[in-house]
Amino acid sequence: MTSRPGKRVAIVGGGPGAISTGLAFLQRGYDVSIYELQPVCKAIGGAVLLSTPVLAILRSYGLDLTNVGAPTVTYFKNKAGTDRVKLPFNTEVERRMGIKGWHYGVLRSSIFQKMLDLVFEGVIHADHKFTSYIKHDDYIELFFKNSHRVTADILISTDGIRSKWVVKPSWKGKPVPDNLKAYLTSILKDWAQPIPRFLEVTNFTTHVYRWEIYNRPSMKTWSSGRVVCVRNTMHPVSPYAAYGMGIAIEDGYFLARELDGVDLRDVRAVSAGFELYEKLRVDYVNHHMEFARFSGHLFHSVPRPLAYLRDWVFDYTPLLSGLLKRNYLRDAEEQSLRLTELQVC
């Protein structure tokens, strides 16, 4: 590893957003250091859906998409198992990207390991708890709990602290059910398959754990001086968008692309690159984040008897289909078609 003034990129956090950011900057010839709090960079959680633009970005890093996951058809169903919406594929996106379908179901740990395998040795520094930084005119200093000090040209925050998501209302001090499997079974007892099968095959001791969500208001600015943020640092996205990990991977790619060739000692050039990055990402990401929260509220917080009306409308009208296509698919498909540098035909 080298450390050349004007090329020094420090990334705090070691999740998918950090690794994507690091790969994108390494690909463009920058000197990258990634600092992770934990002893190793390790993905947690189970399966995740990655969409076509995310897969195209990973492919551009050198990740082989062969057997990376399964093309997934996404349905919205009611509790009786009746289809409400089937998300369509965009044939033009499929043709240009050379990727079949739209969503791929992958194991988070599996795809993250494939990303880690692309990172050069010496880039990732584990056991580094970030504590503070000092901005100077031409550089930035980072400080860590282990007394390590680093000099860089820009600092990128990718830490996803307090960004997890749950569907049950919670508050500080609320007791956890003594028998979680029985508790969830009572809620889902009338649901159609495959939901009951999930309960039957899940090990509730090793594979179920409690996370909290801490929602934040949408922010219009993700940067200040030599510091910029990606991932859940700025936009915790709930699973209703099926897009949290994907957005993190996209953020890193777009940030590096807008700083390609920039001398990072030049704060005006850095600020211009950050501005282009925010112009591309802030409104786009905020829209998806807010729509995910709106969807969660719509499905889980509407009181009876309004909930019965909601279900009737979703079951017998195209309203839900229109909401999903307009608020989720349209923007994502347009973004895919604009990524001409990642298209194969």
Side-chain angles (χ1 to χ4, degrees), residues 155-187:
L155 166 60
I156 303 172
S157 171
T158 69
D159 193 356
I161 292 174
R162 292 190 168 184
S163 61
K164 309 304 186 290
W165 191 84
V166 293
V167 298
K168 295 297 294 180
S170 181
W171 55 86
K172 186 176 181 179
K174 182 180 180 180
V176 179
D178 293 332
N179 187 330
L180 187 57
K181 183 173 184 178
Y183 174 71
L184 291 177
T185 300
S186 67
I187 295 175

Side-chain angles (χ1 to χ4, degrees), residues 253-279:
Y253 173 81
F254 280 101
L255 176 61
R257 191 184 74 171
E258 299 313 316
L259 289 173
D260 191 9
V262 170
D263 184 336
L264 301 180
R265 291 170 294 187
D266 185 347
V267 70
R268 289 179 296 180
V270 168
S271 296
F274 288 172
E275 184 178 344
L276 288 171
Y277 161 68
E278 290 174 327
K279 185 176 181 181

Side-chain angles (χ1 to χ4, degrees), residues 49 76 163-167 213 237-244 292:
L49 289 177
F76 281 71
S163 61
K164 309 304 186 290
W165 191 84
V166 293
V167 298
I213 182 170
V237 180
S238 81
Y240 273 101
Y243 210 8

Side-chain angles (χ1 to χ4, degrees), residues 1-20:
M1 286 297 296
T2 58
S3 183
R4 299 167 292 171
K7 295 287 188 179
R8 301 169 298 182
V9 177
I11 302 172
V12 172
I19 301 305
S20 174

Side-chain angles (χ1 to χ4, degrees), residues 138-337:
D138 299 326
Y139 63 96
I140 188 167
E141 282 186 287
L142 285 66
F143 299 89
F144 299 86
K145 188 176 181 180
N146 60 6
S147 300
H148 192 55
R149 186 177 71 177
V150 172
T151 300
D153 297 303
I154 61 172
L155 166 60
I156 303 172
S157 171
T158 69
D159 193 356
I161 292 174
R162 292 190 168 184
S163 61
K164 309 304 186 290
W165 191 84
V166 293
V167 298
K168 295 297 294 180
S170 181
W171 55 86
K172 186 176 181 179
K174 182 180 180 180
V176 179
D178 293 332
N179 187 330
L180 187 57
K181 183 173 184 178
Y183 174 71
L184 291 177
T185 300
S186 67
I187 295 175
L188 301 172
K189 59 182 175 61
D190 296 328
W191 284 65
Q193 295 291 358
I195 298 301
R197 287 206 298 273
F198 287 130
L199 296 174
E200 294 169 7
V201 302
T202 298
N203 186 321
F204 278 74
T205 301
T206 59
H207 288 82
V208 174
Y209 39 94
R210 180 175 177 172
W211 279 341
E212 304 290 345
I213 182 170
Y214 296 81
N215 282 332
R216 305 185 189 94
S218 300
M219 301 184 71
K220 292 295 185 181
T221 301
W222 296 354
S223 65
S224 175
R226 295 184 175 277
V227 181
V228 65
C229 297
V230 304
R231 191 179 176 262
N232 288 343
T233 306
M234 305 305 292
H235 48 77
V237 180
S238 81
Y240 273 101
Y243 210 8
M245 182 176 176
I247 280 180
I249 292 170
E250 290 175 356
D251 279 353
Y253 173 81
F254 280 101
L255 176 61
R257 191 184 74 171
E258 299 313 316
L259 289 173
D260 191 9
V262 170
D263 184 336
L264 301 180
R265 291 170 294 187
D266 185 347
V267 70
R268 289 179 296 180
V270 168
S271 296
F274 288 172
E275 184 178 344
L276 288 171
Y277 161 68
E278 290 174 327
K279 185 176 181 181
L280 286 169
R281 297 299 292 169
V282 171
D283 289 342
Y284 176 85
V285 170
N286 284 345
H287 170 77
H288 283 277
M289 179 179 71
E290 291 160 6
F291 180 62
R293 292 180 184 175
F294 167 78
S295 299
H297 177 80
L298 191 62
F299 280 104
H300 288 283
S301 301
V302 175
R304 297 174 181 172
L306 291 178
Y308 296 121
L309 176 61
R310 172 205 62 195
D311 290 342
W312 185 91
V313 170
F314 285 172
D315 286 340
Y316 297 106
T317 77
L319 178 62
L320 181 58
S321 176
L323 284 172
L324 293 170
K325 291 176 183 177
R326 182 173 65 253
N327 290 285
Y328 170 57
L329 281 179
R330 184 178 63 187
D331 287 353
E333 289 172 345
E334 289 177 356
Q335 174 179 270
S336 298
L337 294 173

